[in-house]
Amino acid sequence: MKGAKITAIGAYVPARRLTNHDLEQIVDTDDEWIVQRTGIRERRISREDEYTSDLCAAAVLDLMNRYGKSVQDVDMILVATSTPDFSFPSVASILQNRLGIPATAGAIDMSAACAGFVYALHTAHAYVASGLHRKVLVVGADALSKITDYTDRSTCILFGDGAGAVLVESDAQQDSFTGFHMGSDGSGAHHVYRTNLSHKVNEVDLIDTGKLVQNGREVFRWAVRTVPQGVQQVLNNAGASMEQVDWFIPHSANLRMIEPICERMNYPFEQALYSLEYFGNTSAASIPLALDLGVREGKVVNGQQVLLYGFGAGLTHAGLLMKLALDPEVSRPAPL
Ligand code: COA
């Protein structure tokens, strides 16, 4: 039986900051409301000519520089995103050419919204552990500012742009990934969506503005109920307990969601890592960004058990437990 591990990580966020005070000038809101209800202080917004493929390429370059890694032998590229540059070609195909990855590598985008990165990591593990592929590049990236309605105060305060990338490589000695769980409940598909087609889902007419629309309260309730149950499934699958988990990294949607989720699991909130305070909800990028921040700060180190849990539109959710086994860094990361 072969195994797999994450050997390197990288991240990127655009330079432009959008603070809560900036948002006070755009919609009827205030810094205190946003911090109290979400924990978010600012987010990064891509330039008009900066797209998801640009965010991905920058995150992969950060990974290559920090770990001295080549992508010449990458044999599969998976990009989790809900905001691809185009419907097609895929961001993964654009990335292949841009990074000089051999054209013999496979390349696909995966759409599972804010759960996308964990879904892609599951897939990468399955490819590598089965022996089908040896080195898979997994990127979670979104440019949500491109589809955010900056006249809607209930959504525009939440979202930001960013990307996180990891390399999943085969390991002849052991498998770092030990527990898995995923699910999707389409009966809640109309609670968070983006469309520019006049169309119904679950007998509900969708608003076709091309901007993100959500019923925040419904998503909030669903996530707080679903994530603790899903985490328990991951633990059951691994034969592990929450006491063995050094770091819990849920999707960074809202701090006010992470608190009750930890409470329900009786897990210390101080051991939850998130990226929302300065980056907002970056969808598929939020989990790799939080992991990357933990690694940069020296909090998350090799040998520790990390439990990731993504959730979002679909309604999709996915979690996994892994032991960190990164290669040594060859250069210190520049601050994000
Ligand atoms: N500033 C000030 N007031 C605001 C506001 C803002 N930015 N946004 C909403 N409000 C107001 C509402 O209009 C409402 O006013 P009313 O009582 O006079 O009608 C009041 O605040 C409460 O609104 P509510 O929607 O109940 O707030 P909330 O506490 O549920 O917080 C969210 C709203 C969106 C922050 C929260 O529901 C959330 O984060 N949900 C999850 C969303 C999510 O994770 N989506 C992505 C899926 S991964």
Side-chain angles (χ1 to χ4, degrees), residues 263-281:
E263 214 167 282
R264 283 182 185 216
M265 300 189 310
N266 206 13
Y267 187 75
F269 175 71
E270 308 72 55
Q271 284 170 246
L273 296 179
Y274 45 87
S275 53
L276 58 82
E277 193 174 2
Y278 293 99
F279 303 140
N281 177 345

Side-chain angles (χ1 to χ4, degrees), residues 185 187-188 191 217-232 257 260-261 264-265 309 311 315 317:
D185 180 2
S187 71
H191 290 321
R217 276 190 194 182
E218 282 297 334
V219 179
F220 194 109
R221 270 199 287 266
W222 166 80
V224 170
R225 194 177 61 242
T226 304
V227 175
Q229 292 167 357
V231 167
Q232 191 53 53
M257 290 159 97
I261 288 170
R264 283 182 185 216
M265 300 189 310
Y309 214 97
F311 56 89
L315 300 166
H317 58 104

Side-chain angles (χ1 to χ4, degrees), residues 292-303:
D292 182 79
L293 286 174
V295 170
R296 276 170 201 259
E297 289 166 11
K299 281 184 177 176
V300 186
V301 295
N302 279 352

Side-chain angles (χ1 to χ4, degrees), residues 115-156:
F117 179 77
V118 184
Y119 266 90
L121 210 46
H122 270 259
T123 309
H125 171 264
Y127 280 147
V128 172
S130 67
L132 204 56
H133 292 282
R134 292 190 53 77
K135 191 169 177 181
V136 180
L137 177 63
V138 181
V139 192
D142 271 301
L144 288 169
S145 65
K146 307 262 189 258
I147 60 160
T148 296
D149 178 356
Y150 286 100
T151 65
D152 175 7
R153 67 177 181 172
S154 71
T155 54
C156 74

